């Protein structure tokens, strides 16, 4: 896989919670995006500094707190665009600075890297995955061992199955 980007996985913790955030670095431009920034800001910033990356975008798979809690500090410091599905924004009224709603199959460029949105409701009303050339970021739509829960407001097991 000869990608024009590299992926850096960051495992973050808060009490008994753990999450994965991902930094995608465009190799040509050093533009970076973060998928679902959570819990440990210092780990995220240390990796950005180590990579000499220019954070230009945050992509959110859904609006649950454990996927978005580092958005505001990152926006305040780096001023990146923030992307989430229009359905998620509308249904849960998620708000932050620089927020842009995406439709299904819309493409955004991060440096020279194309990021295509794929609407995957079920875990939440407007869950979204992000497809790159050889990578897919799924949030809680699918895990190695299963998928995210479907018992919250706006969730649907039937929609998750279809997604």
């Amino acid at each position: 896989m000869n990608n024009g980007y590299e992926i850096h996985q960051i495992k973050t913790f808060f009490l008994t919670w753990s999450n994965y955030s991902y930094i995608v670095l465009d190799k040509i431009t050093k533009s970076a995006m973060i998928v679902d920034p959570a819990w440990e800001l210092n780990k995220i910033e240390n990796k950005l500094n180590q990579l000499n990356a220019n954070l230009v975008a945050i992509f959110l798979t859904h609006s649950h707190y454990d996927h978005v809690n580092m958005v505001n500090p990152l926006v305040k410091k780096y001023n990146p665009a923030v992307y989430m599905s229009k359905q998620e924004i509308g249904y849960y009224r998620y708000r932050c600075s620089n927020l842009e709603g995406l439709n299904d199959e819309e493409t955004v460029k991060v440096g020279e890297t194309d990021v295509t949105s794929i609407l995957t409701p079920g875990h939440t009303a407007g869950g979204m995955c992000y497809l790159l050339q050889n990578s897919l970021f799924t949030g809680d739509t699918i895990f190695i061992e299963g998928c995210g829960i479907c018992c919250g407001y706006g969730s649907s097991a039937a929609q998750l199955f279809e997604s």
Side-chain angles (χ1 to χ4, degrees):
M1 288 190 270
N2 187 11
N3 299 322
Y5 60 89
E6 51 190 48
I7 299 171
H8 300 270
Q9 178 181 310
I10 301 171
K11 188 169 188 177
T12 61
F13 298 92
F14 177 75
L15 301 175
T16 60
W17 293 73
S18 69
N19 274 60
Y20 287 98
S21 298
Y22 302 90
I23 295 177
V24 178
L25 180 70
D26 181 84
K27 292 177 185 177
I28 296 169
T29 66
K30 292 290 188 177
S31 296
M33 62 182 262
I34 298 177
V35 180
D36 291 346
W39 305 128
E40 296 183 75
L41 183 61
N42 63 323
K43 282 187 179 179
I44 294 168
E45 289 185 325
N46 288 344
K47 182 54 82 172
L48 288 169
N49 289 334
Q50 177 189 2
L51 297 170
N52 195 29
N54 177 28
L55 180 62
V56 298
I58 297 173
F59 287 83
L60 303 173
T61 59
H62 62 291
S63 60
H64 286 164
Y65 186 69
D66 61 318
H67 289 256
V68 304
N69 62 59
M70 286 297 112
V71 169
N72 287 329
L74 289 166
V75 168
K76 186 175 181 180
K77 183 167 184 177
Y78 299 97
N79 200 35
V82 180
Y83 299 99
M84 178 184 274
S85 82
K86 286 183 179 178
Q87 288 83 341
E88 189 81 357
I89 293 166
Y91 195 87
Y92 299 104
R93 305 205 187 298
Y94 179 80
R95 300 292 182 263
C96 71
S97 296
N98 302 348
L99 183 62
E100 297 183 35
L102 294 174
N103 293 307
D104 188 30
E105 298 185 17
E106 195 168 339
T107 299
V108 174
K109 274 202 170 301
V110 175
E112 298 297 315
T113 301
D114 288 332
V115 182
T116 302
S117 59
I118 303 170
L119 188 63
T120 54
H123 177 63
T124 62
M128 185 161 270
C129 294
Y130 299 102
L131 179 65
L132 282 65
Q133 180 181 355
N134 291 303
S135 307
L136 179 67
F137 297 95
T138 62
D140 288 356
T141 298
I142 190 167
F143 306 142
I144 290 172
E145 72 278 357
C147 61
I149 60 171
C150 295
C151 60
Y153 175 67
S155 66
S156 164
Q159 282 186 318
L160 187 58
F161 179 81
E162 288 302 314
S163 291

